[in-house]
């Protein structure tokens, strides 16, 4: 398993302190302008409903999933492949594309990621917050 959920921040810290890539729902209202969404101030780390990728699994994740996470929006407004060291924002329409690609299976721990992404439909997209 490369993706993790934690019942508490204490559990997460015991497992790996802060050495995680965090998949987090964007809780900002639909219609919020992009500049505000990708602002560092918009992100509040360590949410209890986030999905976590332990830092030592970054290479495995990137090699398996980088072709799927191609169109993230960085904090500077540029787009590209997932940046494992920065903010990546995926708007709702991009989340749908990613979900469809993951549903094809054959990727490490794809069902965990798929189930988490299904819930992203209720939010204004999601973030991947790098190390």
């Amino acid at each position: 398993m490369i993706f993790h959920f934690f019942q508490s921040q204490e559990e997460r810290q015991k497992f790996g302190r802060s050495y995680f890539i965090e998949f987090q729902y964007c809780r900002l209202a639909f219609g919020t302008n992009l500049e505000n969404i990708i602002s560092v101030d918009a992100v509040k780390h360590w949410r209890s409903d986030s999905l976590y990728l332990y830092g030592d699994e970054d290479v495995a994740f990137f090699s398996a999933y980088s072709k799927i996470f191609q169109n993230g929006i960085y904090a500077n407004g540029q787009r590209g492949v997932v940046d494992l060291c920065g903010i990546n924002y995926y708007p709702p329409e991009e989340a749908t594309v990613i979900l469809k690609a993951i549903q094809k299976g054959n990727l490490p721990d794809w069902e965990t990621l798929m189930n988490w992404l299904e819930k992203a439909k209720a939010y204004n997209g999601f973030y991947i917050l790098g190390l």
Side-chain angles (χ1 to χ4, degrees), residues 19-116:
Y19 190 50
F20 292 95
I21 295 165
E22 182 178 2
F23 290 67
Q24 183 183 108
Y25 301 123
C26 177
R27 290 175 165 76
L28 297 173
F30 289 92
T32 300
N33 82 32
L34 183 61
E35 185 176 299
N36 288 337
I37 291 172
I38 60 175
S39 166
V40 173
D41 295 333
V43 175
K44 307 292 184 229
H45 290 275
W46 315 124
R47 299 280 188 166
S48 60
D49 60 353
S50 289
L51 182 65
Y52 294 94
L53 172 72
Y54 188 61
D56 286 349
E57 297 289 343
D58 63 345
V59 172
F61 170 80
F62 194 81
S63 65
Y65 286 95
S66 64
K67 291 180 180 152
I68 293 173
F69 289 93
Q70 285 285 321
N71 209 21
I73 303 171
Y74 307 139
N76 66 5
Q78 299 295 311
R79 287 182 177 260
V81 68
V82 63
D83 175 3
L84 298 178
C85 295
I87 294 174
N88 305 265
Y89 169 67
Y90 298 87
E93 60 276 7
E94 192 65 30
T96 300
V97 170
I98 291 168
L99 184 58
K100 287 179 183 177
I102 290 171
Q103 287 173 333
K104 295 177 182 174
N106 299 327
L107 296 167
D109 206 9
W110 68 274
E111 291 171 315
T112 302
L113 181 56
M114 180 190 70
N115 290 334
W116 186 85

